[in-house]
Amino acid sequence: MVEFKSNIKSIEWTQKEEMNGVSKMIDQTLIPYEYKYVEIKTGQEMFDAIKTMIVRGAPAIGIAGAHGVCLYAQEFAKTIQNLDEFKTKLKERAEYLISCRPTAVNLRWAVEKQIELINSSNSNIKELIKELIKQAIKLEDEDIKINKRMGDYGAEVVPKGATILTHCNAGALATVGYGTALGVIRSAFAKDPTIQVFADETRPRQQGARLTTFELVMDKIPVTLITDGMCSYFMKKGMIDMVVVGADRIATNGDTANKIGTYTVAISAKYHNVPFYIAAPLSTIDTSIKTGDEIKIEERSHEEVTHINGKAICTEGVKVINPAFDVTPHELIAGIITEYGILRPDYNKSIAEAFEKANK
Ligand code: MRU
C-alpha cells in the first residue's frame, strides 16, 4: 500500500477553552506560494472566508458553514441570555451563511443540519453550543470516511495504467481530507502506481493549476498540467482513458453542476468515447430539484476574468461575464461515484435507491 504523505486536513474545529473555539483552515488563496493555516474566530469572518474562497470546494464549505453557526453561537452567548431570542438570532445568521455561495448545496445541507439541531434541542444555551460543536466535528470526521469509501468504489472502474483527466480541485483541499475525485485517484494509485493524472488549469481561478497539482505532487502521484482548451486534443490522441470530477449540486435526474468548463470536458469525453464520472457524496444530491435547470449558478467578480494575480490581462473596459459553474446533462455521465456505490443511469432510480440504502 502506498502511504500518502500529504494527509491534508483542510478545515478543523479547534477548541481553545470552553466557549472559545475557532475554525482552523488552510488559506487556499495562498497556495502554491504559501501553505498556512488561518484561524476564523467569528461568524462574519467565516462568511468572508467562504465568499473570498479562503475555503472552497462543496464539502469543505459545508463544514465551514457548520463551524460558522458555532462561531455565531459563541458570540451571541456573550450578550443574549434568553434561549428563544438566542435561537431566533442564530437561525437568522445561519440563513445568512447559506446565502454566501449559492450553487454548492453542501453548504445549505450542513447549515440546515445545525438549524434542525437548534430547533429540536431542549438544552440551555451553553449545552446547545456544545451540541452544535459536537455535530460539526462529527460531520468533519464523517467527510473523510465517506471520501475513502467513495475512493474504494471509484478505484474499481479505473483501468490499469489509466491516464485520468480531472477538472478544478475536488481533492483533500475541497473536502475535509482525501477528496472526492482525487479520493478516487488516491485509492486507484494505491492499488496501481502506474496510473497518472492530467489536470485542467481551470480558469478563471486556476484551482487545477494551483491546488490539484499541489496535492498530487505532494502525494507523488504523476500529474501533467494542461490548459482548459487542450482536453479534446489529448482525447483525440487516445491519451485520456477516463474523466473524474467532483460536483457542487446534483439534481435527482443526475444533471450535475460543477466548476465552469466541466460541461465542455463532458461533451468532448462523450464524442471521444471516454467514460466521464462524477465523484460526490449523497450530501451533494439535492433531492428537492428534478433537473439541472433549477440550479442557481453563482456569478463571480469580473476581476477574476480580467486579472491574474492582480495584473490585468486584457484591455480596460472590456465586457465580461463570469458564471462560476455549469451543468453537465445526465446523458453525458457514465456514473456517479458515491459512498453507497457507483450510481448508473437511470439516475432517478439509482439516486432514489441510494437514499433508501442510506436511510436504512
Ligand atoms: O468554486 P470552487 O473552487 O468552490 O468550486 C469547486 C468545484 O467546482 C469542485 O469541483 C466541487 O466543489 C467538488 S469538490 C469535492
Side-chain angles (χ1 to χ4, degrees), residues 53 56-59 101 168-170 174 180 207 247-248 258-259 325:
M53 294 171 68
R56 37 69 50 203
R101 290 203 74 191
C168 193
N169 172 265
T180 57
Q207 289 94 328
D248 287 84
N258 190 49
K259 181 54 52 195
F325 301 96

Side-chain angles (χ1 to χ4, degrees), residues 101-113:
R101 290 203 74 191
T103 304
V105 76
N106 308 61
L107 175 59
R108 193 181 79 195
W109 174 84
V111 173
E112 278 182 354
K113 280 205 171 297

